[in-house]
Amino acid sequence: VCPISLQEVKDTEPRDEHGCPYTAGFIWCKALEQCVQPWVTVCPINLQEVKDTEPRDEHGCPYTAGFIWCKALQECVQPWVTACPISLDAEPVEDEDPKPLGMRRD
């Protein structure tokens, strides 16, 4: 989908209560306080704004709102908003049979 600017949208297009022309793909972004096309501009969601009724994972992250548990940060994040560093201090897994998979006798 080709992004267009808000100024390019005709005045006759239907709009929501915030003035966002939804037929052109614009939605209201509360965090940015502006109309955005979500495939062009990321609209972050504050974790406290997510309804308590949303399903959550074992860490309490509302996955239907795009939140995942970030072990390194010890918090729920939206990965397209907050990068979650990968921990490199994990214990290596010992392989009992060091032969390549095709050479094993399992």
Side-chain angles (χ1 to χ4, degrees):
V1 176
C2 182
I4 60 172
S5 72
L6 199 52
Q7 291 75 26
E8 293 176 87
V9 179
K10 295 178 184 176
D11 290 335
T12 56
E13 287 294 319
R15 295 172 186 259
D16 66 13
E17 66 273 12
H18 299 286
C20 302
Y22 54 86
T23 56
F26 285 90
I27 61 167
W28 178 250
C29 177
K30 185 176 179 180
L32 301 175
E33 296 187 353
Q34 65 182 8
C35 299
V36 299
Q37 289 176 312
W39 60 91
V40 177
T41 304
V42 173
C43 181
I45 298 172
N46 185 325
L47 189 56
Q48 285 72 37
E49 293 175 8
V50 179
K51 296 177 182 173
D52 290 336
T53 56
E54 288 293 319
R56 296 173 185 260
D57 66 13
E58 64 272 12
H59 298 285
C61 302
Y63 54 87
T64 56
F67 285 90
I68 62 166
W69 178 250
C70 176
K71 185 177 180 180
L73 300 175
Q74 292 292 296
E75 65 182 4
C76 300
V77 299
Q78 289 178 306
W80 59 90
V81 176
T82 304
C84 181
I86 297 172
S87 176
L88 298 176
D89 60 352
E91 294 290 322
V93 176
E94 292 295 325
D95 191 350
E96 295 174 9
D97 188 353
K99 296 184 203 119
L101 284 174
M103 304 290 291
R104 293 183 183 183
R105 292 181 185 221
D106 293 329

